[in-house]
Structure formats: structure tokens, C-alpha cells
Amino acid sequence: QVQLVESGGGLVQAGGSLRLSCAASGSMFSTSTMGWYRQVTGIKRDLVALITSGGSRNYANSVKGRFTISRDNSKNTIYLQMNSLKLEDTAVYYCYQDRADLGGRYWGQGTQVTVSS
């Protein structure tokens, strides 16, 4: 069973920083593409960033230059360093893992990020 556990969300002032973490269970972490989506209530979930097994990264245009995704295969964990946070970054952030061996995408429970003025 795949389990993804996010942490690091919270309340921060605009211009501040937060680092999200997502710890994954199982032995396939190093071969999986992983990433982060975010969702505001009532709006579709949007991709924020992803990182492939080879370390390639993609970012949404809205976060380029401010957010950095990384992975630590020794800890089965990915991170999202979020700097220069804006009010519009407020959302629930979801970690995901693509498991080709299981034929699906798996999600964490989400962590709330709230940016205040």
C-alpha cells in the first residue's frame, strides 16, 4: 500500500517562506516521478512542481523562481521550498507519486498553506 505523508504547511506572511515535505512508503521511491499540486476550494487542482526519478524538474509558471522542488532518495522524501510567498499561493498542497508498477497516481492527504497580508 502506498502512503504519502505531507508536513510543513501553516500560516505565513506574504514574502515569507515555508518548506513542505512529503514522505513516501515503499521501495519504489527512487524510480518514481513525484510532485506537488495545489487546490483552492471549488477550483480544480493545479500542478505546482514535479521531479522525475532522474532529477528533472518542471514548475508552474506562477511559481518559477520562487519555489524549488527536491528529493532525497535516502529518506524517501520530497520537498517543496517556497519563497517569496504571495496571497495567491494560499491553497491545500497535495503530494503525489506516480507508480508505474501499480499503474496509478497516489496522493497524500494534503497540507494547508495560508499566506496572509
Side-chain angles (χ1 to χ4, degrees):
Q1 183 175 356
V2 177
Q3 188 173 16
L4 302 173
V5 179
E6 299 118 330
S7 60
L11 175 64
V12 63
Q13 285 192 323
S17 297
L18 281 176
R19 189 177 81 155
L20 306 183
S21 300
C22 174
S25 63
S27 59
M28 302 300 292
F29 179 86
S30 64
T31 62
S32 300
T33 291
M34 298 193 65
W36 296 90
Y37 275 69
R38 66 186 180 188
Q39 186 172 27
V40 176
T41 302
I43 300 176
K44 73 177 181 68
R45 197 174 289 189
D46 288 326
L47 178 68
V48 176
L50 67 87
I51 185 165
T52 68
S53 59
S56 297
R57 298 168 173 86
N58 283 324
Y59 297 95
N61 288 334
S62 59
V63 307
K64 283 181 181 177
R66 300 188 298 121
F67 290 11
T68 302
I69 189 170
S70 62
R71 65 191 299 158
D72 186 340
N73 290 341
S74 69
K75 296 182 178 180
N76 277 22
T77 300
I78 64 167
Y79 305 95
L80 186 68
Q81 178 66 44
M82 305 185 295
N83 299 329
S84 302
L85 283 161
K86 304 177 180 180
L87 297 179
E88 53 264 41
D89 294 319
T90 295
V92 178
Y93 285 70
Y94 295 91
C95 168
Y96 78 88
Q97 181 182 27
D98 284 335
R99 289 290 299 265
D101 60 314
L102 300 176
R105 172 169 289 181
Y106 294 82
W107 297 92
Q109 80 285 357
T111 186
Q112 176 71 47
V113 171
T114 302
V115 183
S116 65
S117 59

